[in-house]
Amino acid sequence: MKSFLKVMAAVLLFCLGASSVLTAQEIGEKGIGDTEEQARSAALANLSSRLYVQVEAKITEVSGEENYKSYARTFKEITTSSNLPILGHKFLPSEKIKKEYVVSVVLEAAKALPLYEDKLNSLLIALNEAKPLIEKNKGDSFAYE
């Protein structure tokens, strides 16, 4: 478990570091919305999708015959999600263009990486504290909970 977290931390830090090196130690995104709050949320969502995206694809094939004619169709459903918390970001002053707000958010590697490292360390501590409970109660139902 501990080695798994170390690998995950290394991958996360590498990804953040590699992305940051490409953009001069800074990653930024913009968001647009009817209110400043909506624009901020959009900016954070855009930034989050640049850091981590999980893609799930579902492909369904349908075939059959209708009126003596054969047919085959393929349906593709692709969903994306991002659930990485954004730590150490800062918002730049917003602009109002016509009726919409435009907000920029920036993630600086020097500020963000130590925060991610602290968060991963706290998760590791929590897992290490839970480990004796799991080992003591090795039943499948407890492990699942």
Side-chain angles (χ1 to χ4, degrees):
M1 182 69 74
K2 189 174 182 178
S3 62
F4 172 74
L5 282 177
K6 284 185 177 182
V7 168
M8 291 301 294
V11 168
L12 175 65
L13 294 174
F14 173 77
C15 290
L16 284 173
S19 296
S20 298
V21 167
L22 293 175
T23 59
Q25 302 297 322
E26 200 174 88
I27 302 171
E29 278 295 330
K30 288 187 178 187
I32 299 172
D34 294 334
T35 66
E36 189 171 359
E37 190 60 35
Q38 287 176 347
R40 283 179 176 233
S41 293
L44 286 173
N46 292 337
L47 182 62
S48 178
S49 69
R50 283 194 59 195
L51 296 176
Y52 168 81
V53 176
Q54 178 177 344
V55 179
E56 295 178 17
K58 180 181 174 185
I59 299 173
T60 307
E61 293 184 17
V62 178
S63 60
E65 189 174 310
E66 188 176 300
N67 296 331
Y68 304 105
K69 294 182 179 179
S70 296
Y71 65 88
R73 292 187 183 99
T74 303
F75 299 96
K76 295 179 186 176
E77 181 182 334
I78 298 174
T79 56
T80 61
S81 63
S82 177
N83 57 4
L84 182 69
I86 304 295
L87 304 175
H89 63 282
K90 71 176 181 181
F91 290 104
L92 302 178
S94 64
E95 302 173 50
K96 188 168 183 181
I97 301 173
K98 296 185 182 180
K99 293 183 179 183
E100 294 182 319
Y101 287 88
V102 178
V103 173
S104 295
V105 65
V106 175
L107 186 67
E108 298 173 7
K111 186 176 177 184
L113 289 176
L115 295 174
Y116 281 105
E117 189 175 3
D118 289 346
K119 184 73 169 173
L120 288 170
N121 284 333
S122 67
L123 290 172
L124 180 61
I125 290 168
L127 285 172
N128 284 334
E129 289 173 355
K131 188 176 178 182
L133 293 173
I134 293 171
E135 289 176 354
K136 187 171 102 176
N137 301 301
K138 288 193 176 190
D140 290 341
S141 63
F142 182 79
Y144 178 74
E145 290 173 15

